[in-house]
Amino acid sequence: MEGKEEDVKLGANKFSERQPIGTAAQDKDYKEPPPAPLFEPGEIKSWSFYRAGIAEFVATFLFLYITILTVMGVKRGATTCATVGIQGIAWAFGGMIFALVYCTAGISGGHINPAVTFGLFLARKLSLTRALFYMIMQCLGAICGAGVVKGFQKGLYETNGGGANVVNPGYTKGSGLGAEIIGTFILVYTVFSATDAKRSARDSHVPILAPLPIGFAVFLVHLATIPITGTGINPARSLGAAVIYNRDHAWDDQWIFWVGPFVGAGLAAIYHQIVIRAIPFKSRS
């Protein structure tokens, strides 16, 4: 009888949540890995370090190439109904993030975004050395990706805004900044949740493909904020388009697409680590 009773305990009933908050929960089902060192000079001598940076460069290059081309295609149409429209742009951004995170997660972690890198750095998931290297490679990749789009269709690129992020007419700078903060919070919070090893250990009965919710979060944020700022939530994406388009109005709002994502990423890191994960500032003796 005991065996039969065990057989019918499926899903959530079999894996009920009985764990206390804080270190006791961590000790029961998962040991928290040590935080990454702030500086790790030794890793710059490793090929895996540079391979990860190259992966971030190529992924961000491809991300800008596909997404900016999609934006140009929508701008070119006489009406949005003749093109993939706003929904298509959102799908291009979300779908590329899904594909690229899937491809690069095992090499670099699949950040493809300085804000994501910054949030993970605050959570001590990677060293400052690696975080800075990733951000540089992401920005270079974005610039190259936007540059290739301009090279393919210079006239269309110049006359249709180059995919640069600006605060659209009818919205204030404050509205644009708020949209970027909240949008990036959603993205980075999803990244933390989808890649949380403790969740995998505790909720192993819930299969999850991490790139899928991350890409879907990008898609949803774009649907909401394209009318406001064109949706940045990625400083490398905004910088790459601004550098290649190089118009005054694109640079006027550039600070919004750095301050907003970094603030949003920082808030997401704090919320996930302190509230959701309930990791105390000091371990219990």
Side-chain angles (χ1 to χ4, degrees), residues 76-134:
R76 184 179 185 178
T79 65
T80 55
C81 294
T83 65
V84 295
I86 297 296
Q87 294 87 349
I89 293 174
W91 275 121
F93 278 89
M96 279 304 290
I97 288 296
F98 168 64
L100 294 170
V101 171
Y102 178 83
C103 291
T104 59
I107 302 171
S108 65
H111 297 189
I112 321 170
N113 185 336
V116 171
T117 300
F118 178 68
L120 294 173
F121 165 71
L122 291 181
R124 302 296 299 276
K125 303 296 184 183
L126 71 166
S127 67
L128 179 61
T129 311
R130 186 174 292 265
L132 292 176
F133 183 51
Y134 278 14

Side-chain angles (χ1 to χ4, degrees), residues 138-282:
Q138 290 157 359
C139 290
L140 290 175
I143 292 169
C144 292
V148 170
V149 173
K150 182 178 180 179
F152 282 174
Q153 41 186 234
K154 185 174 181 180
L156 180 65
Y157 186 90
E158 296 286 356
T159 57
N160 288 285
N165 288 122
V166 296
V167 177
N168 291 319
Y171 296 95
T172 65
K173 305 285 188 185
S175 297
L177 181 62
E180 289 296 306
I181 290 174
I182 296 172
T184 311
F185 179 92
I186 294 170
L187 168 59
V188 178
Y189 176 39
T190 304
V191 169
F192 273 110
S193 297
T195 59
D196 191 346
K198 180 175 186 293
R199 173 176 176 171
S200 298
R202 184 192 64 197
D203 300 333
S204 57
H205 62 290
V206 181
I208 184 168
L209 181 62
L212 181 59
I214 296 170
F216 200 63
V218 172
F219 165 70
L220 293 174
V221 171
H222 274 75
L223 284 183
T225 59
I226 283 176
I228 304 173
T229 61
T231 309
I233 67 172
N234 184 335
R237 174 262 186 273
S238 300
L239 178 67
V243 166
I244 301 302
Y245 183 56
N246 198 25
R247 294 291 188 275
D248 289 342
H249 65 280
W251 289 113
D252 289 342
D253 294 339
Q254 185 66 199
W255 67 272
I256 291 174
F257 302 102
W258 285 83
V259 174
F262 274 83
V263 171
L267 293 174
I270 293 170
Y271 176 66
H272 185 266
Q273 294 295 99
I274 304 302
V275 178
I276 300 300
R277 289 293 305 276
I279 296 177
F281 291 102
K282 294 182 179 180

